[in-house]
Amino acid sequence: MIERSVLGRTAKFLAAIALGIGAVGCTTGAIGDRGNPNQPTLPPNVNPPPAGYSPEEAGLRRLTIPQYRNSVNDLFGAGMAPTTDFEPDTTLSGFASIGAARVGLSSTITEQFEAAARDTARRALADASVRAKYLGCAPATAVTDDNCTQTFLRTVGRKAWRRPMTDEEVTRYAGVAKNAQTVLKSFTGGLEYGLAGLLMSPYFLYRNEFGLPDPRDGKQVVFNDYELGTRLSYLIWNTTPDDQLLDAADARQLTTGNGLTTHAQRLLSSSRAPTGLQTFFTELYRLNELEELTQLASVFPSRTDTLGPAMRAETLKFLTDIAFVRGGDFRQMFDSPSTFVNAELAKLYGMSGVTGTDPVAVTLPASSLRFGILGQASFLAGNSQPNRSSPTLRGKFIREMMLCQPVPAPPPNVPKFPDEQTGLTTREKLTQHRTDPACNSCHAAMDPLGLGLENFDGIGAFRTTEAGKPIDARGDLDGVAFAGPRDLAAALKNHQDSAACIAKHLYRYATGHLEGAGEDPALASLAKGFQDNGYQFRALLEGVVKSPGFVLAAKAQ
C-alpha cells in the first residue's frame, strides 16, 4: 500500500510510455521546453549546412541498456548499476541507438526499469559516499526536512536528467519523498522513493532531442546546450554527461565559441573514449553474436564456450588499438598484420608461444594469409554456417557493412543449398546453386567476395584443401580481380566506398537514424573530411560532431 500510494504518480510516467500515448505526444511539448530557454544558436565552428542539405526529424531516444548501466554507475559509483537481466535492446539497421529512437517500451521492460530504479535508489542511499555527494545537508529531523530533500533532488536530478530540474519538478518529487518519509518515519527511507521516481522518469530513461525553432529556417530546430552535451557524451563515452559538460551547458558554452569541439576533444583525449566507442564497434561488426558460437562441435572440435568471447575480445582490442593508440589510417583494419590473441585463439591460428586467457599483441608471420579484420575468426566464424564456411554470408557482410551496398532479400522458394552432396568444394556447390536464375542475381554480388576467404573454414582455421581439392580463392570486387585474402584486403581498403561507409555508419550511430536523401551532402562532406585527415578515426569523430546533422534536425510534423 505504501508503494502504491507513494509511487503512483511516477509509475504513471512509465505506464504512459508503455502504452505509447501518441509517441509520448502528451509530454512532447513539456519535454521540448525544458532546459535552456535562450534563443538557439548554431555553434560557430560547426560546418555550415552544404547546398541541398535537409535534416531528418529527431525527438526522444531511449537509453540503450549499456547506456543505462553506464549512467547509473556514473551517477552513484562503480558497481551501482542494477544486475537486472533486462529485455535486450532492439537493433535496427545494425544499431541499438537507431532501435532506441524507433521502438517504445514494452510492458516487460517497463516493469524491469521500475524494479531497477527502486533497487538502485535503495542501494545508493545506503552508501555514505553517495549521500555525501548529493545530500549536502543534515536533515533537521529524522523524518522530514523539505529544504534538505529539495537540495538532494535538485542536485542528483541535474545529473540524472542531464539538465536542471524546474522548481515545479522539484516540488513534485519532493512531495513523493515527503509522503514516504511520513509513512516510513525515515528521512532517508522516504528519500529513496523520490530518487526512484527520478530514475523511472522519461527524463532519465529518454534522451530529449527536440531542439528549439531555428530562427533562420522555420523547417529546422537547433539542439540546445543540454541536448548537445548529452549527444556528445553518449557518442564518445556512451554515458551521461560529466559535471564539466553540464557546467558548460549551464554557461551556454556548447552553442557559442569553440565549446562544442573543445569538449569533444577533451572527451576523445580521455581513457574513457576507447571503452565508450567499443559499443559502436561491437554493434557494427555484430560481435555480441559471438558469445555463443553456432558452430557444431562435431564438425569443428576446436569450438568451445570460451572461443567466441576470445574472438570478440580480439577484434575489439584490434579496432580500438588502430583507432586510439596507433592513430593514422583507420583502413589499416583491412591489412594490418598485428592483432591480439589469447592462448586458445593462438592455437586456432596455428601460433605458438602465447599463454593465458587475456589477449596479447602479436604480429602474424609475413607469409600468412591471415591479416586484418577479414582474417580474424570473429568475422570468419560470425559469417559461416554451423557446419561449413559461407562465402555468401561473408560476401554479404562485406557488401552491406563494409561498403554500404544493399543486397536484395532472397526471393521466396529459393532452392536448397546442396549441402548433402559429397566430394564437392563449397565453390563447386555454389556454382551449381547459381545455375538457378532466381539465385544467381543476388549470389553474383556476394559470392565472388566471400570465395576469396575460402582458405579459412567455418570457424576461422586456416586450410589449403577442401573435399581433397586445393582451395581456389580467386574472386572479383567490382571489376577488380583478386587471387586470395591478401588481394581482397587490398582491394577493399582502396575501394572508393569503404572509407565513406565507415563514416556513414558512425553518422547513423551518432544521430540514431538512417540518413535521408537530404543528408547526402553532409555525408559526402563528412567522408571528404575523413579522407583529407588521413582517414584518422578520431578526426572522423570530430567531423561527426561538427556536422550539421549533429546539431540540427527537421521540425517535427
Side-chain angles (χ1 to χ4, degrees), residues 378-425:
S378 63
F379 170 79
L380 298 164
N383 293 284
S384 290
Q385 298 290 356
N387 62 330
R388 59 172 173 82
S389 67
S390 176
T392 301
L393 290 179
R394 291 171 180 177
K396 184 175 188 291
F397 189 93
I398 291 172
R399 282 286 179 201
E400 293 187 331
M401 305 310 295
M402 295 181 173
L403 296 174
C404 292
Q405 298 174 358
V407 175
N413 303 318
V414 174
K416 183 181 177 182
F417 185 82
D419 250 337
E420 68 284 351
Q421 294 192 24
T422 59
L424 297 179
T425 65

Side-chain angles (χ1 to χ4, degrees), residues 36-42 212-216 222 224-225 252 255:
N36 195 329
N38 296 303
Q39 181 66 51
T41 58
L42 192 67
L212 294 168
D214 186 347
R216 299 153 306 171
V222 181
N224 68 32
D225 289 79
R252 300 195 66 223
T255 54

Side-chain angles (χ1 to χ4, degrees), residues 152-396:
F152 171 81
L153 292 171
R154 198 179 295 277
T155 305
V156 73
R158 174 178 180 265
K159 184 83 170 178
W161 288 5
R162 303 172 286 276
R163 50 95 174 158
M165 295 178 68
T166 65
D167 291 342
E168 177 188 358
E169 290 166 342
V170 173
T171 299
R172 183 189 318 147
Y173 283 89
V176 171
K178 187 170 185 177
N179 288 344
Q181 289 165 343
T182 302
V183 173
L184 297 172
K185 297 183 175 12
S186 167
F187 176 83
T188 302
L191 207 58
E192 288 181 19
Y193 287 91
L195 178 56
L198 295 181
L199 299 178
M200 283 193 284
S201 167
Y203 299 118
F204 174 68
L205 295 175
Y206 280 82
R207 295 163 52 182
N208 171 6
E209 295 184 348
F210 286 106
L212 294 168
D214 186 347
R216 299 153 306 171
D217 188 335
K219 296 180 181 179
Q220 295 181 168
V221 295
V222 181
F223 297 128
N224 68 32
D225 289 79
Y226 298 107
E227 293 166 336
L228 285 178
T230 297
R231 275 198 154 202
L232 189 62
S233 187
Y234 281 110
L235 168 61
I236 300 176
W237 285 0
N238 207 35
T239 190
T240 194
D242 65 359
D243 289 333
Q244 290 186 61
L245 261 180
L246 289 174
D247 290 344
D250 287 342
R252 300 195 66 223
Q253 293 174 355
L254 301 181
T255 54
T256 58
N258 298 322
L260 182 61
T261 52
T262 296
H263 279 278
Q265 292 164 359
R266 177 178 69 83
L267 267 59
L268 283 169
S269 298
S270 166
S271 60
R272 301 189 69 175
T275 303
L277 266 299
Q278 283 188 357
T279 297
F280 169 70
F281 294 132
T282 296
E283 293 183 358
L284 178 58
Y285 297 109
R286 301 203 301 256
L287 300 180
N288 275 341
E289 296 178 10
L290 298 168
E291 290 302 312
E292 294 184 9
L293 291 176
T294 61
Q295 275 71 11
L296 300 173
S298 59
V299 179
F300 302 105
S302 58
R303 183 228 180 274
T304 67
D305 291 340
T306 55
L307 185 58
M311 295 175 180
R312 177 179 181 271
E314 175 194 17
T315 300
L316 274 181
K317 199 164 181 63
F318 171 76
L319 292 171
T320 53
D321 180 65
I322 293 176
F324 294 100
V325 180
R326 298 188 220 174
D329 191 339
F330 187 69
R331 298 176 306 161
Q332 294 175 79
M333 64 176 284
F334 295 116
D335 62 2
S336 173
S338 302
T339 189
F340 299 84
V341 298
N342 66 6
E344 186 175 26
L345 202 52
K347 183 178 179 180
L348 180 71
Y349 289 178
M351 302 176 66
S352 59
V354 178
T355 60
T357 57
D358 294 330
V360 296
V362 296
T363 299
L364 299 165
S367 59
S368 175
L369 294 181
R370 184 193 302 279
F371 53 83
I373 194 169
L374 296 183
Q376 293 180 4
S378 63
F379 170 79
L380 298 164
N383 293 284
S384 290
Q385 298 290 356
N387 62 330
R388 59 172 173 82
S389 67
S390 176
T392 301
L393 290 179
R394 291 171 180 177
K396 184 175 188 291

Side-chain angles (χ1 to χ4, degrees), residues 31-81:
I31 294 178
D33 292 340
R34 304 298 187 191
N36 195 329
N38 296 303
Q39 181 66 51
T41 58
L42 192 67
N45 57 345
V46 166
N47 296 327
Y53 172 78
S54 61
E56 292 291 296
E57 290 184 15
L60 289 174
R61 294 168 62 180
R62 202 207 82 202
L63 298 184
T64 64
I65 299 305
Q67 290 170 350
Y68 179 93
R69 294 190 188 280
N70 291 345
S71 298
V72 171
N73 278 333
D74 277 345
L75 280 167
F76 306 116
M80 281 292 182

